[in-house]
Amino acid sequence: MGLIHIDLFTTLDGVAQAPGGPEEDPEGGFAFGGWQAPVTDEVVGQQVVAGMEGLDALLLGRRTYDIFAGYWPDQDDGIDGGIAQLFNRVPKYVASRGTPTLDWAKSTLLDADIAAGIAELRERHAHVHVIGSLDFVQTLIAEGLFDRLTLWIFPILLGQGKRVFADGTVPSNLALLEPAITSPKGAILARYARAEGTPSTGDMATRDS
C-alpha cells in the first residue's frame, strides 16, 4: 500500500501561501508572494531533494499544477535539473473540479471521488507527493487522506495568508518520524506520520512526577 506525502513550506505562524514567487497566488490581496527565497539556504535545498527519494508520482491541485507545468518541462538542464527530470518522468495527477487541459506529459485528472482516487493511487504507487497545492491539502487533512506530513518551518511571521491548518482541520494525532533538522538560516524541517486516534487530554496538576 503506497503512501501519500504532503510537503509544504510554512512560516512560523502557519502561512503557506505563495512561498515561491510574487505571482504564485495573490488571492486575497496576499502581498508576500516569494517569502521563502530570502530565508532558504543550501541545507534547505539538500533536504528538499532528499525528501523526494522514492517519489514515483505527483498529486497536485490545479493552481500548483499550472505553475509546475509552465516551468519544469524546460528545466532538465537547469540549476534544478535533477528535480525537473524526476517531475517530468513520473506520472502527475491533478485534483480539479473542472475539466482542465493537461498538456504536461504523463498528466491525468484525479477521480472526482477524492477518496476513491487516493485509494487507486495507493495501489498504483509507493510514494505519492503532494507539493504546495494548499487548497487541495485542506481536503486531504480534513478527510485524513494522507500518511506523511513534511513541514519546512521558516523563521518569519506574516500574520496574513492561507494557512497549513485552516478551518477544516480535524483533531488528529501525528508522530515525529525523526529528529528535526535546522538550517543555518533558521528553517526547521519536521517530518511526521499520521497516527491513529484523536488527541487525548489530561491534567498537568496530577501528572506522574
Side-chain angles (χ1 to χ4, degrees):
M1 185 68 71
L3 301 177
I4 306 298
H5 302 250
I6 295 175
D7 303 332
L8 291 173
F9 302 112
T10 175
T11 65
L12 193 59
D13 58 337
V15 175
Q17 185 172 351
E23 305 304 321
E24 182 178 338
D25 181 7
E27 185 175 342
F30 187 63
F32 293 97
W35 53 262
Q36 179 192 344
V39 286
T40 197
D41 54 40
E42 186 176 350
V43 170
V44 172
Q46 290 171 346
Q47 290 300 319
V48 166
V49 172
M52 294 179 186
E53 183 176 353
L55 182 157
D56 59 353
L58 286 171
L59 173 57
L60 305 171
R62 172 65 188 277
R63 187 192 299 271
T64 299
Y65 173 84
D66 287 344
I67 293 170
F68 279 23
Y71 178 76
W72 289 113
D74 300 319
Q75 300 301 315
D76 276 5
D77 298 320
I79 190 171
D80 293 317
I83 296 176
Q85 291 167 31
L86 173 63
F87 286 178
N88 290 328
R89 182 174 69 248
V90 302
K92 276 75 68 176
Y93 300 92
V94 185
S96 174
R97 295 185 179 90
T99 54
T101 300
L102 306 177
D103 294 327
W104 195 5
K106 301 183 180 179
S107 296
T108 305
L109 190 64
L110 186 69
D111 192 293
D113 182 336
I114 299 298
I118 295 292
E120 291 180 9
L121 295 186
R122 291 186 194 278
E123 294 292 335
R124 199 175 300 158
H125 302 287
H127 295 284
V128 180
H129 283 246
V130 183
I131 301 174
S133 308
L134 190 56
D135 292 336
F136 176 53
V137 162
Q138 302 312 306
T139 298
L140 298 180
I141 292 175
E143 299 187 16
L145 296 174
F146 71 98
D147 305 287
R148 300 287 185 268
L149 175 63
T150 297
L151 296 177
W152 266 113
I153 305 164
F154 290 85
I156 56 173
L157 304 173
L158 293 181
Q160 63 171 273
K162 299 177 184 177
R163 285 171 162 77
V164 174
F165 304 109
D167 294 339
T169 302
V170 298
S172 306
N173 289 321
L174 299 174
L176 189 66
L177 289 171
E178 60 191 41
I181 296 171
T182 304
S183 80
K185 289 190 176 181
I188 299 171
L189 169 64
R191 291 191 173 104
Y192 298 96
R194 191 170 69 87
E196 295 299 322
T198 56
S200 57
T201 62
D203 187 338
M204 292 297 290
T206 59
R207 70 190 187 278
D208 294 336
S209 57

